[in-house]
Amino acid sequence: MKIADNRARHSTLAAICCRRTANSGRAAATQRERHEADARSQNANQKCTCAPATWSSTRIHRAPVTMPGIMAATTAVPLEETLVIVGVGLIGGSIAAAARRRGLARQIIGVGRNPERLEQARQAGFLDAVVTDPATAGPNAFIVFCTPVNHIAAAVERILPRLPAGAIITDAGSTKRRMCEALADWAGRDPTFLGSHPIAGSEKQGFEHADPELFAGRTCVITPLSGHRPADITRVRRFWAGLGMTVVSLSPAEHDQALASTSHVPHVVAAALADSLSESDRRLTGTGFASTTRIAAGDPDLWTAILCENAGPVADGLLRLQARLGDFERALRAGDVPALKSLLQTAKTKRDALDG
Amino acid sequence: MKIADNRARHSTLAAICCRRTANSGRAAATQRERHEADARSQNANQKCTCAPATWSSTRIHRAPVTMPGIMAATTAVPLEETLVIVGVGLIGGSIAAAARRRGLARQIIGVGRNPERLEQARQAGFLDAVVTDPATAGPNAFIVFCTPVNHIAAAVERILPRLPAGAIITDAGSTKRRMCEALADWAGRDPTFLGSHPIAGSEKQGFEHADPELFAGRTCVITPLSGHRPADITRVRRFWAGLGMTVVSLSPAEHDQALASTSHVPHVVAAALADSLSESDRRLTGTGFASTTRIAAGDPDLWTAILCENAGPVADGLLRLQARLGDFERALRAGDVPALKSLLQTAKTKRDALDG
């Protein structure tokens, strides 16, 4: 286990408030939850009077000096003692940055396969520490897998048996059915796994493009199974809500069916359009082409994995889309103006109903 | 003819420079062109010494007070005496605003079918005057049709016989072949028509969304025929270049073939994707879906006209795209990871080569 502690580098005083000490156990969890709810309803500047002996009421939480614009929130006791981000890229980095800004965790630990990149993320202030094995991150860890979606289930399966009680694993993967089926035996156990998909992202890669507001105002789907304990569902739900997200609960299959339409098929379409562009026509593209193909710049490895994990619903969606494009094609060849206009009007009405 | 002169409402002194008087004739055109070239190469603050008797060297050009951010340029004699915008919506309004900001025309006259909207555009500072018939706009008018593309050829055909020599008509329509074929007899005559397509736009409608920088840094295609006089080609080219555009010359058929790929097929695809969204899935869309379907919010009437004017190339493009989506679909159903990754990698490489 390698821990490079970043706390010594912190110098900006961001908040003085009630904190749970690092060595307190799971036994205080219920009291802690009450405490957190109380603390959030209080004025943050008032000194909390309900802290038990295992809580330090004078612990100083410092935000890192090197991360511009990311400061610990000053209004609430953190939801989590330790947030562990496995895979500190654009999504993992954004979760770390958002959690830091909102004060959701007392410490944020990064896990990754590239020690050099992890160390850069730590030095940039995203992480307090880095470890090579998430099972060593300490008690009650809230672990978020942000690795490519096709590697999550196997990695979680390896780690869960070695985690202490009180730990929970969730993820940020774009597909849910296969993963949740593979890990279904862990539903309702302690530690456990419960799937998540915060619907936010970018075609860019790397924590350098991380955005602490990436999740604000967006939707996160969580996919609890019937066996999951309500407290675990609440814990995962609260975390994403804490990042400013609207949390929606779906079955893993419902999630994958919907995301095929709203994300995976659009990605394929953007790629097919980008692919159709000849070099000589490049100068003849406008903002419409740029917008329609923007997501085609996404990482081909990541997207191959996502599409393969959800192959059936995506292939079915592509078949339906080909049929729809065939409707347009036939209307054009027939010069059927009313049919064309009706197709475009329906599309506009649906698009106008979307924000952004 | 109705002229509502806006000049009395101007109050901000924007430039004092050499101006051609409104009643000067076409005879001075050659000298005027030399003069303009000279003036552009001079320091704008120096008094011009080459003005003939028909030029006023003390005319004060005032920018309108009511148009925020749009001011006459102070660096050059205007390219055109009178710019006439037929159809003052988003594109027409943006051309007016851009021409105003860059000082491309001494006066800008609007033509439209809705007098109330035109008057609003005039009061907002886009126009100096409004007329109901572009043929009455005065000598040497530079007329830009920004009406729906399927109405341009017939309207131009009606107006050209009534225009004085020295006038020129171009347009901002998204298709060129049919229109340029219909007006081919006017190539090389005086007055004349020469097709243009400034590749810039927005899914929004109305001059309220006009943007004086809409064209800056973008490409404009002009589609001269073999009979066009070089001076007319230069005049149209200079106008678009004056708005900050890179001007490219293509045959009308080449233009339509290319724009089918870069604009018209993407529009249909965005519409088909937007149409596929169920109401319950709306909350599960992210920025990717929003970006890929953005242009589907465009005006269905305008886009029906564009697609019908270019029906053959668009239908062929849709057929090719269906085949490409079929490639993705088959690779997904077969679990062919290398094929999928290769398709996505090619698309990413092409998309990365685009700006924006």
Side-chain angles (χ1 to χ4, degrees):
Chain A
M1 177 181 172
K2 172 193 169 196
I3 292 203
D5 198 310
N6 199 37
R7 276 167 286 184
R9 303 184 65 252
H10 294 172
S11 71
T12 307
L13 176 63
I16 301 177
C17 62
C18 303
R19 300 285 156 178
R20 196 172 177 214
T21 56
N23 58 359
S24 66
R26 184 68 187 165
T30 309
Q31 186 165 11
R32 173 186 163 211
E33 277 162 17
R34 278 202 307 274
H35 168 82
E36 288 171 4
D38 291 348
R40 278 193 293 280
S41 67
Q42 288 177 15
N43 182 318
N45 296 325
Q46 290 175 348
K47 188 174 175 190
C48 176
T49 55
C50 65
T54 51
W55 293 72
S56 159
S57 61
T58 56
R59 189 179 181 90
I60 296 172
H61 182 77
R62 297 165 191 273
V65 288
T66 51
M67 194 171 180
I70 300 174
M71 294 178 298
T74 57
T75 52
V77 170
L79 284 175
E80 297 293 339
E81 170 65 24
T82 302
L83 169 62
V84 181
I85 306 287
V86 185
V88 187
L90 177 113
I91 296 293
S94 295
I95 292 173
R100 175 85 81 196
R101 177 172 283 183
R102 289 163 176 77
L104 292 196
R106 199 191 59 79
Q107 62 172 345
I108 301 175
I109 294 180
V111 181
R113 56 186 176 174
N114 184 335
E116 202 175 315
R117 290 283 296 156
L118 266 188
E119 180 56 23
Q120 288 167 3
R122 190 186 68 80
Q123 287 186 8
F126 288 88
L127 309 170
D128 295 304
V130 300
V131 301
T132 50
D133 178 359
T136 62
N140 300 320
F142 188 93
I143 303 172
V144 187
F145 269 75
C146 305
T147 50
V149 73
N150 53 331
H151 296 152
I152 293 176
V156 170
E157 191 105 60
R158 277 196 304 273
I159 291 156
L160 272 170
R162 296 185 297 114
L163 284 179
I168 191 164
I169 302 183
T170 188
D171 75 305
S174 297
T175 59
K176 293 272 83 71
R177 192 182 53 79
R178 275 201 200 175
M179 174 196 309
C180 292
E181 276 175 10
L183 297 166
D185 284 350
W186 290 91
R189 289 166 68 177
D190 183 9
T192 191
F193 168 84
L194 198 160
S196 300
H197 177 202
I199 303 178
S202 161
E203 72 283 9
K204 295 175 183 147
Q205 287 118 40
F207 66 79
E208 292 84 354
H209 299 288
D211 173 5
E213 296 305 322
L214 187 66
F215 307 102
R218 311 227 59 102
T219 297
C220 181
V221 179
I222 60 171
T223 56
L225 307 180
S226 57
H228 274 108
R229 297 181 307 174
D232 291 331
I233 300 173
T234 301
R235 189 176 175 192
V236 173
R237 180 182 284 276
R238 273 193 188 160
F239 178 79
W240 297 114
L243 299 190
M245 306 193 82
T246 301
V247 184
V248 169
S249 186
L250 291 178
S251 77
E254 284 170 340
H255 168 276
D256 283 12
Q257 196 69 49
L259 268 287
S261 296
T262 62
S263 170
H264 309 161
V265 166
H267 191 92
V268 171
V269 169
L273 270 179
D275 178 57
S276 73
L277 184 66
S278 72
E279 202 175 319
S280 59
D281 286 349
R282 199 186 296 157
R283 62 184 177 169
L284 304 177
T285 59
T287 51
F289 190 88
S291 164
T292 311
T293 60
R294 180 179 63 79
I295 54 178
D299 183 321
D301 284 316
L302 285 181
W303 276 95
T304 300
I306 291 168
L307 297 176
C308 288
E309 288 277 309
N310 200 20
V314 177
D316 292 346
L318 287 174
L319 194 62
R320 284 194 298 274
L321 192 74
Q322 289 170 74
R324 200 46 150 180
L325 294 176
D327 294 341
F328 276 95
E329 188 203 337
R330 274 184 297 281
L332 274 167
R333 294 205 196 275
D336 188 344
V337 173
L340 261 181
K341 197 182 154 187
S342 162
L343 286 163
L344 293 173
Q345 182 60 62
T346 309
K348 176 179 169 54
T349 303
K350 290 195 179 184
R351 183 58 183 81
D352 285 347
L354 271 188
D355 299 330
Chain B
M1 177 180 173
K2 172 194 170 195
I3 292 203
D5 198 309
N6 198 36
R7 276 167 286 184
R9 302 184 66 253
H10 294 172
S11 71
T12 307
L13 176 63
I16 301 178
C17 62
C18 303
R19 300 284 157 178
R20 196 170 177 216
T21 56
N23 58 359
S24 66
R26 182 68 187 166
T30 309
Q31 186 165 11
R32 173 187 162 211
E33 277 163 16
R34 277 203 306 275
H35 168 81
E36 288 171 4
D38 291 348
R40 277 193 294 279
S41 67
Q42 287 177 17
N43 182 318
N45 296 325
Q46 290 174 349
K47 188 175 175 188
C48 175
T49 56
C50 66
T54 52
W55 293 73
S56 158
S57 61
T58 56
R59 189 180 182 90
I60 295 171
H61 181 78
R62 297 165 191 273
V65 288
T66 51
M67 195 171 180
I70 300 174
M71 295 178 298
T74 58
T75 52
V77 170
L79 284 174
E80 297 293 339
E81 169 65 24
T82 302
L83 169 63
V84 180
I85 306 287
V86 185
V88 188
L90 178 113
I91 296 293
S94 295
I95 292 174
R100 175 85 81 195
R101 177 173 282 183
R102 289 163 176 79
L104 292 196
R106 199 190 60 79
Q107 63 172 344
I108 301 175
I109 294 180
V111 181
R113 57 186 176 173
N114 184 335
E116 201 176 314
R117 289 283 295 156
L118 266 188
E119 179 56 24
Q120 288 167 4
R122 189 186 69 80
Q123 287 186 7
F126 288 88
L127 309 170
D128 295 304
V130 301
V131 301
T132 50
D133 178 0
T136 62
N140 300 320
F142 188 93
I143 303 172
V144 187
F145 268 75
C146 305
T147 50
V149 74
N150 52 331
H151 297 152
I152 293 177
V156 169
E157 191 105 59
R158 278 196 303 274
I159 292 156
L160 272 170
R162 297 185 297 114
L163 284 179
I168 191 165
I169 302 182
T170 188
D171 75 305
S174 297
T175 60
K176 294 272 84 70
R177 192 182 53 79
R178 274 201 201 175
M179 174 196 308
C180 292
E181 276 175 10
L183 297 166
D185 285 350
W186 290 91
R189 288 165 68 176
D190 183 9
T192 191
F193 169 83
L194 197 160
S196 300
H197 178 202
I199 303 178
S202 161
E203 72 282 8
K204 296 176 182 145
Q205 288 118 41
F207 66 79
E208 292 84 353
H209 299 288
D211 173 5
E213 296 305 322
L214 187 67
F215 307 102
R218 311 228 58 103
T219 298
C220 181
V221 179
I222 60 171
T223 57
L225 307 180
S226 56
H228 274 109
R229 298 181 308 174
D232 290 332
I233 299 173
T234 301
R235 189 176 175 192
V236 173
R237 180 182 285 275
R238 272 191 189 160
F239 178 79
W240 297 114
L243 299 191
M245 306 194 82
T246 301
V247 184
V248 169
S249 186
L250 292 178
S251 78
E254 284 170 340
H255 168 275
D256 283 12
Q257 196 70 48
L259 268 287
S261 295
T262 62
S263 170
H264 309 161
V265 166
H267 191 92
V268 171
V269 169
L273 270 178
D275 178 57
S276 73
L277 184 66
S278 72
E279 202 176 320
S280 59
D281 286 349
R282 199 186 295 156
R283 61 184 179 171
L284 303 177
T285 59
T287 51
F289 190 88
S291 164
T292 311
T293 59
R294 181 179 62 78
I295 54 178
D299 183 321
D301 284 316
L302 285 180
W303 277 95
T304 300
I306 291 168
L307 297 176
C308 288
E309 289 277 309
N310 200 20
V314 177
D316 293 347
L318 288 174
L319 194 63
R320 284 193 299 274
L321 192 74
Q322 289 170 73
R324 200 47 150 179
L325 295 176
D327 294 341
F328 275 95
E329 188 203 337
R330 275 184 297 281
L332 274 167
R333 294 204 196 276
D336 188 344
V337 173
L340 261 181
K341 196 181 154 187
S342 162
L343 287 163
L344 293 173
Q345 182 60 62
T346 309
K348 176 179 169 55
T349 303
K350 290 195 179 185
R351 183 58 183 79
D352 285 346
L354 271 188
D355 298 330

